[in-house]
Amino acid sequence: DQIIIKKVAETIVVDGNWAVAHASYRMNDVAYIFPITPSSTMGEIADEWSSTEDADGKKKYVNLWDQELKVVEMQSEGGAAGALHGALVSGSLATTYTASQGLLLFIPNLYKIAGELLPTVIHVAARALAGQALSIYGDHSDVMLARSTGVAMVSSFTVQEAHDMAIISQIATLSSSVPFLHFMDGFRTSHEINRIQLVGDEDLREMMPWEKVEEHRQRALSPMHPCQRGTAQSPDVFMQLVESSNKHYQAVNAIFEKALLDFAHITGRKYRPFEYHYFGSTMPSIAIVTMGSSVEVVKETLKYLQSEEVCVIGIRLFRPWSPNGFCSVLPPSVLRVATLDRTKESGSQGEPIYMDVCASLISCKRGGVYVAGGRYGLGSKDFTPSIVTAVIQNIMIENEEKIQHPFTVGINDDVTHLSLPLGKIVNPLNDDVTECVFYGFGGDGTVGANKESAKIIGDYRQDMCVQAYFEYDAKKSSGYTLSHMRFAHAQTLSAPYKIQDMQADFVACHNESYAEANKFDVLRYAKSGGIFFLNTKIASLPPEQRLRALEENLSPSILKTLALRKVKFYITDAGSLAKAYGLKGKINMICMAAFFRLSGVIPFDEAILLLKSSITKTYSYRGEDVVRKNHELLDAACSEERLIAVDVPSRWKRAHLTEKRRAYLNRHIALIDDAKTKKFVQEIAEPVSHLEGDSIPVSLFLQNAMLGGNMITGTSKFEKRRPNSSGLVPKWNENSCTQCNQCVAVCPHAVIRPFIVTRDEADGAPHPNLFTSVKALGSELAGKRYTLQISPLDCTGCNACVEACPESPKALQMQDVEDVLAGGGDENWNYAVSLPERGDLVDKYSLKGSQFQTPLMEFSGACSGCGETPYFKMITQLFGERMIIANATGCSTIWGGSFPSNPYTISKKSGRGPAWANSLFEDNAEYGFGMFSSMKHRRERLAANVRDMVREVGLYSNLGDLSELVSFLDEWLEMRNEKSDRCTLLFDKMKPLFQSLLLSGNNTCQNKALLARIWADRDMFPKLSQWIVGGDGWAYDIGYGGLDHVEAFQSNDVNVLVVDTEMYSNTGGQSSKATPIGASVMFAKGGKSQKKKNIGSIFMTYEHCYVASVCLSNQSQLVQALVEADHYDGPSFVVAYAPCIQQQVRPEGLNDMFDECRFAVESGYWPLYRYNPELVAAGKNPFILDSKRLRRDVTSFLQREGRFLNLEKNHPQIAEELHQQMNLDVKHRMEQMQKLAADYKSFSSQDEATVKVLFASETGTAEGLAREFADACQLSHGADAMADIDVDEINGTTTIFFVSTAGQGSMPRNGTEFLKQLNARKKSFAEGTSFSVMGLGDSSYYFFLKAAKDIEEAMLKLGAKCIHSLGEGDDSCADEGLAEGLHQWQQGIFPALGLPKPEEVPHITPVALFFSKRVVLSELEDNHATEQYYKSIGTEEVRISGVEHLSEEGHNRDFIAFTLQTGSKDLSYELGDSLEIFPKNDEEDVGNFFREYSTEWDERTVIRLSHAFGVHDEISVGAVFTNVLDIFGKPNMSFLQKLATFEEDAEKRKVMLDPTNLGHLCQDKCATYADLLLLYKSARPPLAALLAMIPMMKGRAYSITTSPSASPDSVELCILINIFWCKEGMRYGTASNMLRKLKIGDTVFCRVKPGSMEPPKHDQSVICVGIGSGVAPHMALIRDRVFASTNGVKVSPLSLYFGNRFEAREFLYRSELQQIATKHGDWFTLHTAFSRDVIGKKTYVQDLVAVNNDIRENLLRRKGLLYVCGNRNLPEPLRKSLVESFETNGKSRSEAILAMEEMFTHGRAQQEVW
């Protein structure tokens, strides 16, 4: 045909998505879009054009109707399909862009659109479908599933064709009324950059079938000419109407061909439905049939080969398929055909093209042609010329029977053996094509710079063609990037495949670690004589050092390749250069300049001018200074001294890998101690991480149990990718650290962790000088040390931990990662994670405690500073060992589940961890619900079977393992719904019993079938925590319907976590319903005009949902919300603010992630609240507002983010209006929430409440107590954080403060500002201002209750009246300390407020017990059961080998030294430890009590306990009361309240509930629990209740006086026998009563307890101060030094200050101490003070401390340690004496006080008090 070209077309360098968008934008009225990779860009471009205005305010881009395209984002692809359908029936020209699962959601509507013959074009970037795994990459799986819907399908082969076919399809669909689906290969075509010729508007108008447009519009639904569509049809007519459209489809081929011809006449570009290419001189005998970009690969390969035998047929119009059209282009000479499908249809006879070709040949009477079908390119597997030659060689095999059919190409299928072997590399490109490869680091600008290069060359050099294609790691911004670029002096460059090995003229590596660690074979692409450019710090070394440094740092294989291939080698230090010009990290421009200088693709001088022009255009809005700096940087980068040529020495040809370097490269493999994991890492993960995954054979995947998509856990820890573009990691300053663990909680990648270690472990670190540790704070961590370690090879340098540190100065600061690595930081980290896990020592449901739990999500591939990962990490720390996760597709599935890196791991202690799975984007709520509902059903079956087993066997049987197992099963039935780890731990006990009974061949079990059924459901024993997680795109939009359904039912006990980035962050930052008003993002470039969906409020309307809004800036509230959500029996919904890279945080990006969270909360942009339905039943307000105060204007937040600033820049007036609206919305929302939070009490407003309750809480304890108090106080509206209140608001009111202590006396962060305001206030409070403070702290620390005392002092100073003394809640006294202090304070505070004391309703959970049929137990049986109790609490039975009375005989204070033989027991101890002895009640006293108290049972009564007290056998009641219960202990009010519930007489009950009554009984009679039970015998609780009411016996801890070095097999204790006095006389305490009767040969049950004071090293000077038995721990230190000194160890001075009452009677260890002073006087000094020896003059140890020089010498000059041990009266006067002593050393009083306080702050002073 004659082609007439009317004019020269405009050319431009763009990608396939842009090419399609440009065409579809102009030919449609409206587009309905939803983001999905890789098609999202088409919608983004269209949206941006639709909102862009010119200088006159008119739309810059318009369609053929002079109107902008209306772009509408829907909530899902299904929504877009429905909207598209609606637009079409209304007569509009409408389009959409989609891919993959998105296209599948279109399918129901495609049937409708096709059935109604509605013209439209759906543009698809074809992509793989999620099967065994998600793949965002390209193939034809999605479009092939649409082939039966009735749409015509057109394929584009190139970027140019993508533009052209978009136009031709639009013309054809209008002309035929058949909807068209136009597709291109996802990524390969959609993202390839190439030069294209644009079709102008004039040409489009000429081609447009305007009469068909009018026809379509007139078919629209309209009341002007009404009709009905979409009716329901019966069998009698349905089929006929289906067939009625046949003629339309039969006409499509001709219409399409005419459209192609018309297009050719106008543009000169000629296309056919089936493209035929043959480059031989005769006739072909073989045809290759394929579709998409592969057509170009085959065509160019055949052209290069000049094959005589082979032709190629490219399918352009795939549907409707034309058999005649196909056969007409298939030469008659062809006898064999190879079809290539980019999809797999499992179970079919063949893939679609194969089936169509076979059917066509038969219908066209060409049945003699042999057809072999093959698959290629799934998931963007590269399709290369070498693969084409393999296909040719296969189909050319002479014997047809030997031809592989079906076949696969591009892989090694060594299982089913379908794959074809590949031959040598074939490169069909001409020599004038320059091929370049660039290795970059995600976020370093390499890809952006290369795109800019392509654009510069494409725009400037019209005679050149450029092709660019980019590979991205799934690791978000911290992964690798690989740019493939080709340049040619031609108009077209068609090579849709990656640059092949040894073909690149230029290779650049912008990240030196890739070359150093041989991460990638960066020279695999370099051709002989090519150029290699490396960005490396080595370039900044002196010239004489560079070569050696290169040899030491670069992989030997790289050195060898450089030499053997004679590659020209250049280096520069781009990082240092950028930093020098104030553009740290901005290396892209420098590397681009190097590329232009070295590659010569265009003249260098021209390139520099173009680059400077580009810089000016890009950065002009940021000011002239930024432009100038970039220009100067570019000039410097071009200088010869910066771009250094390296002369490659010939010796590099012999470079080889030494064993030392091999060990270094494989150091991560050496860390793996699991054979299964090691096999996976070596065979799968390593090749993939080296970009060699294409070479992995199929068999290895099967051998690694990966069938069906299974993935091994915890592989990310072995990657060691060094994903750190900043080159900085945090450094810990232990002296400023308060061990709050907030830095750990916020770390996105779990690279900074606290470890609880022993002194020996700290000393045993590979590099102990850098393995800094300090004494661990908290009584539960006594004897342990705290260290903070950082993984330098995993840290991304995001700075979040530094920002999160609340201390001043910061306890963290950033330092160079190379310094850390050089000092052994990596070895220290590996050592730390190998140490025993000790998270079980602390409460994991607190902020601090949660961070001691090993994170079971670590080292993910998320962006540096990611705001999502900390939340996921935290839920694994809280619930990880019993949780199941359903994860919606999105960012969290990419960083959380990108093969072969799995950040979800297991506990090395238990082997348990999160079970994680991903289904799709849209169905995640239903997916998770399916998990929950099915497992709930299975668990119910398990419970039923367990009940049957317990009933059948019974609890009284004596059947060995079976009886023990049944007792465990019965216990499980009782606790099975408890949301904790207890069920899991109980199963650990049951498991070996099951195995013994079932798996070992034991046939004595009579209930084996039932046991087997129970065992089959064993995974249901734990109380599973079901979590449904995802991003806002899922929760707010596409998955909202399913989420709403799951949350709507109270019986659905599932937890939902939504990490809200406020946009579709994974697909590039498109708008969602979570996007706020005024944001300029993809799909809302003109500014989002609709405010954000308030999803939390929506779910609160159900009233049975737990709902919380959380943020990392308030980590305590976050932990509390997550724990409450998990514990709530019903659906929960937690939405978390997650800063994202797409938000464009200023100025430091996600390095400011934590501050961004803080700004969001403080401005009210992100409110914090919790809605807990459980509070309603208690009569409390279920809504708790945790951020009640706007502390900054929301504008200050908006100014931090590019998404808001961009709108100001492009549309200032719109921005101002929308941002003002947001400000109003935020304030209105806060007002509404404040009302909601205060509406539960009978106040018309908060102002009517006369009592304010404020809290400052670090871990949430003080907050919880404050809220409980406010609920009980009738005068208070609720509790507020001090940070939410201004000081002026408490003026003239009564305020109750609850204040905890953070670290060493610090005020919790949410109270700091309030205290500052108090201290800064000058004006006194008004009359009527009153207050009281309840303080929480640990009395073992110097700064006990300091924060609370600071508040009290400041309030008094301002004239406020204290209505009740400071309450003291003491955490050091275990459970009763805090509760007792709170109880005592509450007894006074309510009367002080004029209120009745709140009624306390006691709760009793009876002990599960059964009365045995046996009358009596033998002593042996009873002892055995008792031993079970002692074993359960971890004690050992130890013999007394020595009893020595240390005080004068007959003296009223009896100090006894007990020696216990521990050698044969598991009772090893460390210096400074205590021995905890568990006392027993006197058996005779117990018997007397029973005889007087009960006639129903006595000490001989036999009961069976269902594992209560750790006992699972039968036991006598007497044994329980003798060994377990503290029946003769001092009672508390709680016991009387419980006892009173069993008293029927109201008068007696009133007396029992009177607190003064208990006080009198204790004061007058030294009453015990037994006394109260006998006194109130009419209140008769059942035995099961009584066992629960009486507290268990607690161990009494006594400091060990011996040194483990000197006495490893025995311990000595120094114990004062305590005597209590009351009006009726003297009584011994329970422990003292037992101890005073002990004699040699007796035994006691005991266990070692770590001491609260950390022992010194021998080279540290020590001052010991002790009174009475407080000398005990000091004796251990002294004896340890004696032993060391005797054995030749040099020790530093130690002085003992010992005090007691009388020297003659109470000089403990007199002889021994005096002998030591004599023998070891060179280092030991003894000072004594006896207060009662001189009548009228009392001398105490503190008096000696104030005047002796060795205090100043050892503590000030030598920086020694101070140890204090005594009663609570000792520390305060001792501190004053220390200050006096320091003052005499020349210090001022303030300096002396500071020196003393610093000793306690930094752990140099330690105290143990009682």
Side-chain angles (χ1 to χ4, degrees), residues 527-531 560-569 648 653:
K527 65 165 52 172
S528 294
I531 297 171
K560 191 171 185 177
T561 302
L562 287 169
L564 292 175
R565 294 189 197 166
K566 299 180 180 178
V567 175
K568 301 177 184 68
F569 186 20
V648 177
K653 294 179 181 179

Side-chain angles (χ1 to χ4, degrees), residues 88-92 113-119 173-174 176-178 212-222 225-227 229 248:
L88 294 174
V89 299
S90 70
S92 296
I113 291 169
E116 295 176 15
L117 293 174
L118 297 171
T173 188
L174 287 166
S176 65
S177 292
V178 172
K212 293 295 183 179
V213 174
E214 179 64 17
E215 182 182 312
H216 170 62
R217 298 205 191 282
Q218 290 305 310
R219 287 183 63 207
L221 288 175
S222 171
H225 43 81
C227 69
R229 293 187 186 175
H248 282 271

Side-chain angles (χ1 to χ4, degrees), residues 1563-1640:
Q1563 186 176 354
D1564 297 345
K1565 300 178 177 294
C1566 292
T1568 65
Y1569 291 103
D1571 293 330
L1572 295 183
L1573 288 170
L1574 294 173
L1575 180 62
Y1576 302 111
K1577 287 178 68 173
S1578 56
R1580 186 57 63 94
L1583 180 60
L1586 186 59
L1587 296 185
M1589 290 162 56
I1590 303 171
M1592 291 174 63
M1593 199 84 76
K1594 289 187 172 64
R1596 274 61 165 181
Y1598 303 100
S1599 295
I1600 297 173
T1601 66
T1602 46
S1603 160
S1605 301
S1607 306
D1609 297 327
S1610 64
V1611 299
E1612 181 186 293
L1613 310 175
C1614 177
I1615 299 174
L1616 172 63
I1617 303 300
N1618 280 323
I1619 300 171
F1620 299 99
W1621 291 90
C1622 58
K1623 290 182 179 179
E1624 291 191 0
M1626 179 192 79
R1627 267 198 178 180
Y1628 289 105
T1630 303
S1632 290
N1633 193 40
M1634 181 193 79
L1635 291 168
R1636 71 190 182 89
K1637 300 175 184 177
L1638 289 177
K1639 56 187 182 299
I1640 294 175

